[in-house]
Amino acid sequence: RATERPSGWSVVARGPRGLGAEEEIYRALVVGTRDYVRKNGFADVVVGLSGGIDSSLVAVVAADALGTDHVHTVAMPSRYSSEHSLTDAAELARRLGVDHRVIPIEPAHAAFAAMLADSFAGRAEDLTEENLQSRIRGVTLMALSNKFGWLVLTTGNKSELAVGYSTLYGDTAGGFAVIRDVPKTLVYRLCRWRNTTGGVIPSGVLAKPPSAELRPDQRDDQSLPPYEVLDPILEAYVEDDRTAAELVAAGFDAATVARVVRLVDTAEYKRRQSPPGVRVTPKAFGKDRRVPITNRYR
């Protein structure tokens, strides 16, 4: 069953043992991750730990699912990474007691920039340079996976998956997407709930504005509506199958609705190439919701 939550996405209702919604969903993520990893013959996993909220939740779920000896975290700073992100990632790894390493991507970033300089001459920096950093990180994690047999856990959430706020062959590179069905606002609720059972997630992770840190002073709300605005629209459009006209009639801003609907519809090709993950909402992307990638309908 699902219950409407005024502050965000529909979540599973109170469970059979009287569990709260956040606890029930968190336990489902743990069980789903443990089953997928072990039943597919893996022992260890690796997570790119950025110091942000999403990768922090994935790392903690993995540690609870598999045990701390089987979780490896990697910080991969670029020239745009903030110091607090690095320290928050290191502190989370310390509190969990997992293997943590730092592999700066600046040498590879600089090498790619030099390789492409002639081809890019006369063109301003744009998303190309941002995506390049994400793809370097994906290559790094996959190299560790190949060398040590670790399964890469991706860290994208459902809100990002819905609107295509991800980099193909970058942050989508991996074998299992732990929170692919967890909206951003729910990510925060799950982290706060998990901290009530032991404060492993640093307060700075919960307090900082969401950012991919791929350019100076970047914030998610520069590219997307604030998640408190975005998630209810996504819930109505994806979960409840409301049309754009119905969303506007319900009181959502018409321009924002049009933009979000367009983003969701055009990101289907990315979702088809993303790893599987745990389903915790009434309708997950994949076989629950599939639309044609190519069509003339707008």
Side-chain angles (χ1 to χ4, degrees):
R1 304 195 331 261
T3 180
E4 292 293 331
R5 306 282 288 201
S7 61
W9 213 285
S10 292
V11 296
V12 179
R14 189 169 288 273
R17 294 181 300 280
L19 303 179
E22 286 78 14
E23 181 178 1
E24 186 173 7
I25 292 171
Y26 187 88
R27 290 191 181 191
L29 295 175
V30 168
V31 171
T33 300
R34 180 188 301 125
D35 279 1
Y36 188 88
V37 172
R38 291 183 175 173
K39 291 178 180 179
N40 283 287
F42 290 92
D44 289 28
V45 297
V46 59
V47 180
L49 195 59
S50 68
I53 193 79
D54 297 318
S55 63
S56 295
L57 178 59
V58 170
V60 175
V61 167
D64 288 344
L66 305 169
T68 57
D69 290 345
H70 299 284
V71 178
H72 310 270
T73 58
V74 187
M76 295 170 283
S78 75
R79 66 191 70 173
Y80 302 123
S81 299
S82 62
E83 183 62 29
H84 62 75
S85 291
L86 286 172
T87 56
D88 284 341
E91 177 62 15
L92 174 64
R94 186 194 67 79
R95 293 182 184 186
L96 286 176
V98 300
D99 168 47
H100 181 69
R101 64 196 66 194
V102 179
I103 304 177
I105 67 166
E106 186 57 35
H109 190 188
F112 270 104
M115 287 165 51
L116 294 165
D118 289 343
S119 295
F120 289 176
R123 293 180 176 267
E125 290 193 2
D126 54 19
L127 284 174
T128 305
E129 285 75 17
E130 295 184 30
N131 290 338
L132 182 58
Q133 297 166 67
S134 180
R135 291 185 175 121
I136 292 169
R137 292 183 172 117
V139 168
T140 302
L141 291 174
M142 290 306 302
L144 293 169
S145 173
N146 290 160
K147 184 62 69 175
F148 300 110
W150 301 338
L151 178 69
V152 177
L153 301 183
T154 66
T155 60
N157 61 67
K158 189 172 189 176
S159 305
E160 296 168 345
L161 192 69
V163 296
Y165 195 62
S166 59
T167 302
L168 276 179
Y169 326 119
D171 49 351
T172 62
F176 192 64
V178 175
I179 59 171
R180 64 167 284 144
D181 198 36
V182 181
K184 188 75 166 190
T185 50
L186 181 54
V187 169
Y188 279 94
R189 298 209 308 271
L190 292 177
C191 285
R192 292 189 180 100
W193 175 83
R194 179 58 178 80
N195 269 3
T196 67
T197 69
V200 292
I201 300 173
S203 59
V205 172
L206 291 160
K208 72 182 68 171
S211 172
E213 292 194 337
L214 298 175
R215 65 173 184 264
D217 302 318
Q218 184 179 27
R219 300 191 316 274
D220 287 5
D221 61 10
Q222 295 167 339
S223 302
L224 299 172
Y227 289 108
E228 294 76 12
V229 174
L230 177 63
D231 277 359
I233 296 175
L234 291 174
E235 176 183 8
Y237 186 58
V238 174
E239 300 280 350
D240 301 332
D241 291 321
R242 301 284 181 86
T243 65
E246 289 172 333
L247 293 177
V248 174
F252 292 106
D253 175 71
T256 304
V257 167
R259 181 185 174 208
V260 170
V261 166
R262 179 181 59 80
L263 289 172
V264 173
D265 291 349
T266 57
E268 182 70 12
Y269 78 99
K270 287 189 177 182
R271 292 189 288 270
R272 296 286 185 94
Q273 300 180 66
S274 62
V278 185
R279 175 179 177 241
V280 295
T281 68
K283 184 181 290 184
F285 289 115
K287 67 179 182 179
D288 290 348
R289 186 190 189 276
R290 290 169 65 91
V291 298
I293 296 175
T294 303
N295 61 78
R296 292 180 177 177
Y297 174 77
R298 292 292 183 270

